[in-house]
Every structure is written in structure tokens, then in C-alpha cells.
Amino acid sequence: QVQLVESGGGLVQTGGSLRLSCAASGRTLRNYNMAWFRQAPGKERDFVAAIGWTISRIYYADSVKGRFTISRDNAKNTVYLQMNSLKPEDTAVYYCAADSAQIGRDRRQYPYWGQGTQVTGSS
């Protein structure tokens, strides 16, 4: 069983930056595809970014392309989401997810999830 714990969320002014971390325990993340999703109140949990276990396949939602960067450090068993140029519309709970079988944008494919961390972009 894989356990994921997100951290690094907070309140940031428009244009500011945050780096979210997702630390794994139970199993190494070496062979897992990893993704970040976010969910605003009353809305569906939407795809943000994903990185394959080969680290050769990376995908971003159009809304964050050029501003957010997903990365992983397998030696530390950690996945990161660097968020720059934050906007009020980035406000959401951000979730880390893992899948051993495939990489994708559909939240329903991911069997392992963290508890989420709140990110608030103030104007």
C-alpha cells in the first residue's frame, strides 16, 4: 500500500510562488506514474500535471502550462509541484495521486491519493 502526504500549501498573493511536496511511504515511487489534481468548492477534481515513472513523459493542463512545473526525486521518494505566477483562480485543494499502471488525466484511474493541501491565491 502506498501512502501519500502533501505539504506546502498556504495563502499567497497574486504573482507569488509555492512549492508543493508529496512524500510517499509504504513503497518506493520509482515505478509509479504521479499526478497532481486540484478541486475548488462545488467543482470536480481537475487534472493539473502528471509525470511518468520513466520521467520522460510530462503533461500539464492548459490553465497551468508555463507557470507550474512537476518534478520528482525518487531518491527522496517525493514528487513536487512548483507553482509560479499564482492567480486567484488557482485557489483549490491540491491532491497528489499515484498509479502503477499508466499515466493519464482522468482522476478515476488513480488508486492512491493524498489528503490534499489548501492553496489560496489572494488578489
Side-chain angles (χ1 to χ4, degrees):
Q1 187 66 240
V2 175
Q3 298 182 48
L4 306 173
V5 179
E6 302 98 332
S7 62
L11 175 64
V12 179
Q13 66 185 42
T14 297
S17 297
L18 283 174
R19 188 174 77 160
L20 305 183
S21 298
C22 174
S25 63
R27 296 180 182 178
T28 178
L29 294 182
R30 182 188 180 105
N31 296 321
Y32 283 81
N33 305 296
M34 304 297 300
W36 288 94
F37 290 77
R38 65 185 182 184
Q39 186 169 21
K43 296 186 177 181
E44 295 291 320
R45 190 171 300 184
D46 292 329
F47 173 79
V48 176
I51 183 168
W53 65 268
T54 65
I55 320 181
S56 63
R57 302 177 69 184
I58 297 177
Y59 304 100
Y60 295 101
D62 289 341
S63 59
V64 306
K65 194 174 300 181
R67 298 188 298 122
F68 292 8
T69 302
I70 187 171
S71 62
R72 65 193 301 166
D73 187 338
N74 289 337
K76 297 181 179 180
N77 230 23
T78 301
V79 177
Y80 304 97
L81 184 69
Q82 177 67 45
M83 305 184 295
N84 299 326
S85 302
L86 282 165
K87 306 174 181 179
E89 50 263 44
D90 294 318
T91 297
V93 176
Y94 284 70
Y95 296 89
C96 177
D99 183 2
S100 64
Q102 60 185 329
I103 185 171
R105 303 169 185 265
D106 189 346
R107 62 179 173 82
R108 293 170 292 184
Q109 78 174 80
Y110 290 91
Y112 304 108
W113 292 87
Q115 83 289 349
T117 185
Q118 177 71 45
V119 172
T120 302
S122 65
S123 59

